[in-house]
Amino acid sequence: MTNKTTVKTLLILGASGDLTGRLLLPGLARLVAGGLADGLKLVGAGSDPWTAEQWTDRVRSAFEDAGKDADAAGRESIAAMEANTEYHQVDVTADGQLAALLTGLEAPVAVYFALPPHVSQKACEVLTAGQLPPGTRLVLEKPFGSSPESAEDLNKTLARLVPEEHIYRVDHFLGKATVLNILGLRFANRFLEPVWNRDHIEKVEIIFDEDLALEGRARYYDTAGALRDMIQSHLLHIMALLAIDAPATIGERDLRDAISTILRASTVEAPYAKSTRRARYAAGTIGDRKVPDYAEEAGVDPSRNTETLAEVEVGIENWRWKGVPFILRSGKALGLMRKEAIITFRPVPHLPSGFEGVDASNQLRIGFGPDTLQLDVDVNGPGDIFTLDRVTLDAELSASDLLPYGEVLEGIIKGDPLLSVRGDTAVECWRIVEPVLKAWAEDSVPLEEYDAGGAGPADWPTAVGG
């Protein structure tokens, strides 16, 4: 990876949409304010007939917070980008329109598809390699396809246009700080590696429970659900990072090869009524917010039986992990927000007679956003030294000054594909969850209910206190 900007123009398609205003532009603003996007021009394009003033107002509003915290040089860089940005009304699915826009932009260009997946795919299908400026990079949001076959087809479409190293399949959940914190913890500590295997670890849980409900996203979420939205695209990658053997380097090729190796060995075993669980939230209260039944949320089709909480047990068929369940869970409208990986160690084979007290397994917890570390240790308690007490060692892990989308954009404009999902990996993630999706579509796994603001079904393995 170079430290210099290797992209001259960032073209955001879907510039008038929610993703651009809420996440992309604020992330870009931090880059600009920190002097990490020098010489980059921002161009927006969308189907809405926006004036130049409307677009500039959107950029200025999104950049405002970063400008407040910036130094003089940062504020100057922000002002320069705001003054030089432009907007174009374009139908990206119409033959020739996107190509004509690209010919007028300074190369290399990074084309960010902040669009629904089917629109992004159509836009790529109407392009040809000869219409792209030299060095063009294509950036696509999840979900990447909807099945192994569709992901393969999209890979082939993109491969006609640019080489694999110029394709960025964005997973903003995998921020650079999170990735490097996991790798540093695992491979820089001699005492962990000898016990990081099936002989010493009983199970691994990766949990991403949100207190947000649908929040007006029915158009996307009701056709996706928790399994597609989070587990297929994000949590499988966290699982792979926790499970990989040590790569020779943390360069993108070595690391992404190691991730791919783990995912190829991963499966969810039938019967799926035993290895998977799904549920949907009913009406409830989260804090001071009243949340309606999911089936009654605006834009929801109740007949789809879309799950808002999903849990799957993944097995990794290799020497290190055979028999260790990796339990991946994600859900919405829960009362307790949990974003963490929990590694539960096996109990000691024999506790010498005479000790009393703690008999639970030790756990290592890695928190995501903020990144934290907690390790349970049993020590002789105060007072009675024959009684063991549980203490927790806490540490805060390094955080990035950039927002998650800022880290994504930094990799794109500097030519670092480390945080990008490789094409074969995107296919493998769909391969892992596809049998589960089919089983759920056939209602062979019951759709349970939980109250919004609650903890979810109490008998699930990942239930709080379970």
Side-chain angles (χ1 to χ4, degrees):
M1 174 181 170
T2 176
N3 287 322
K4 294 184 178 180
T5 301
T6 58
V7 166
K8 293 297 185 181
T9 306
L10 173 62
L11 171 62
I12 300 178
L13 308 180
S16 57
D18 176 69
L19 172 64
T20 299
R22 186 167 52 89
L23 296 171
L24 277 177
L25 291 178
L28 177 62
R30 291 279 188 94
L31 281 178
V32 176
L36 300 174
D38 292 341
L40 181 70
K41 179 169 182 174
L42 171 65
V43 177
S47 58
D48 292 321
W50 276 18
T51 63
E53 290 74 20
Q54 283 177 289
W55 170 243
T56 303
D57 286 345
R58 161 165 270 210
V59 173
R60 186 176 293 116
S61 176
F63 280 21
E64 186 175 0
D65 285 344
K68 292 176 182 176
D69 300 328
D71 58 18
R75 289 192 295 273
E76 185 177 330
S77 296
I78 286 175
M81 180 168 280
E82 291 174 353
N84 196 37
T85 189
E86 56 189 58
Y87 178 87
H88 300 266
Q89 184 181 2
V90 173
D91 178 358
V92 298
T93 64
D95 192 17
Q97 290 196 26
L98 178 56
L101 172 59
L102 286 167
T103 59
L105 302 179
E106 184 180 4
V109 180
V111 184
Y112 200 113
F113 293 83
L115 298 165
H118 69 280
V119 179
S120 298
Q121 182 157 355
K122 178 64 176 175
C124 291
E125 288 172 351
V126 300
L127 286 171
T128 65
Q131 294 170 330
L132 300 180
T136 295
R137 292 164 195 176
L138 304 179
V139 189
L140 292 95
E141 283 276 332
K142 71 168 181 73
F144 188 83
S146 57
S147 67
E149 295 76 20
S150 64
E152 284 275 22
D153 288 344
L154 186 50
N155 280 341
K156 291 175 182 176
T157 299
L158 296 172
R160 286 192 301 101
L161 301 175
V162 297
E164 172 64 30
E165 59 267 25
H166 285 179
I167 301 169
Y168 290 76
R169 300 168 187 85
V170 170
D171 185 354
H172 69 273
F173 189 76
L174 286 180
K176 184 173 291 186
T178 296
V179 170
L180 295 182
N181 281 337
I182 292 174
L183 297 178
L185 173 69
R186 284 208 48 204
F187 301 123
N189 294 290
R190 181 65 179 264
F191 69 91
L192 275 182
E193 180 57 23
V195 299
W196 207 262
N197 55 54
R198 64 188 304 273
D199 295 325
H200 300 280
I201 290 178
E202 182 178 288
K203 63 180 178 179
V204 178
E205 299 163 278
I206 303 171
I207 298 169
F208 194 89
D209 282 356
E210 300 180 88
D211 57 1
L212 295 175
L214 193 55
E215 314 297 328
R217 296 178 66 226
R219 183 177 179 182
Y220 161 71
Y221 194 86
D222 198 44
T223 59
L227 181 57
R228 290 183 180 91
D229 183 50
M230 285 298 301
I231 293 176
Q232 182 275 145
S233 56
H234 297 318
L235 300 194
L236 282 172
H237 281 83
I238 293 291
M239 180 197 79
L241 288 168
L242 291 168
I244 60 172
D245 289 334
T249 73
I250 56 173
E252 58 88 12
R253 181 170 180 178
D254 286 340
L255 182 58
R256 297 202 295 180
D257 280 350
I259 289 172
S260 180
T261 298
I262 286 294
L263 292 174
R264 287 198 305 272
S266 300
T267 56
V268 181
E269 294 290 340
Y272 301 111
K274 180 179 179 182
S275 59
T276 75
R277 289 154 286 279
R278 60 177 182 150
R280 184 168 72 184
Y281 68 77
T285 303
I286 304 175
D288 57 359
R289 293 182 291 134
K290 296 285 187 181
V291 177
D293 190 299
Y294 177 83
E296 297 176 1
E297 292 264 28
V300 166
D301 178 357
S303 67
R304 286 197 180 104
N305 285 336
T306 300
E307 81 285 353
T308 60
L309 177 63
E311 182 173 289
V312 300
E313 296 181 21
V314 181
I316 301 175
E317 299 296 308
N318 67 11
W319 189 288
R320 182 188 289 262
W321 295 114
K322 175 69 175 180
V324 178
F326 283 74
I327 305 174
L328 280 50
R329 162 181 166 141
S330 182
K332 287 188 172 296
L334 293 148
L336 179 63
M337 188 168 65
R338 292 194 291 166
K339 301 178 183 180
E340 61 181 353
I342 307 167
I343 294 88
T344 300
F345 293 92
R346 297 188 185 281
V348 295
H350 172 70
L351 183 65
S353 299
F355 280 119
E356 297 180 353
V358 174
D359 61 358
S361 298
N362 301 93
Q363 290 184 327
L364 174 67
R365 294 173 177 262
I366 305 170
F368 307 120
D371 286 6
T372 58
L373 185 68
Q374 295 181 320
L375 175 63
D376 295 337
V377 180
D378 298 331
V379 297
N380 302 71
D384 183 359
I385 61 172
F386 293 99
T387 299
L388 298 172
D389 289 334
R390 169 82 26 113
V391 298
T392 301
L393 308 180
D394 290 289
E396 289 189 10
L397 303 178
S398 296
S400 172
D401 292 333
L402 301 175
L403 297 172
Y405 270 89
E407 291 188 305
V408 167
L409 290 169
E410 183 185 28
I412 293 163
I413 66 175
K414 292 187 176 179
D416 180 13
L418 180 68
L419 301 184
S420 169
V421 176
R422 204 168 63 185
D424 61 324
T425 301
V427 174
E428 286 299 326
C429 288
W430 281 117
R431 193 264 312 159
I432 293 166
V433 303
E434 186 178 39
V436 180
L437 291 169
K438 288 181 178 178
W440 289 6
E442 296 166 358
D443 287 329
S444 59
V445 177
L447 180 65
E448 302 178 50
E449 275 199 349
Y450 62 98
D451 292 337
D459 59 347
W460 287 19
T462 53
V464 176

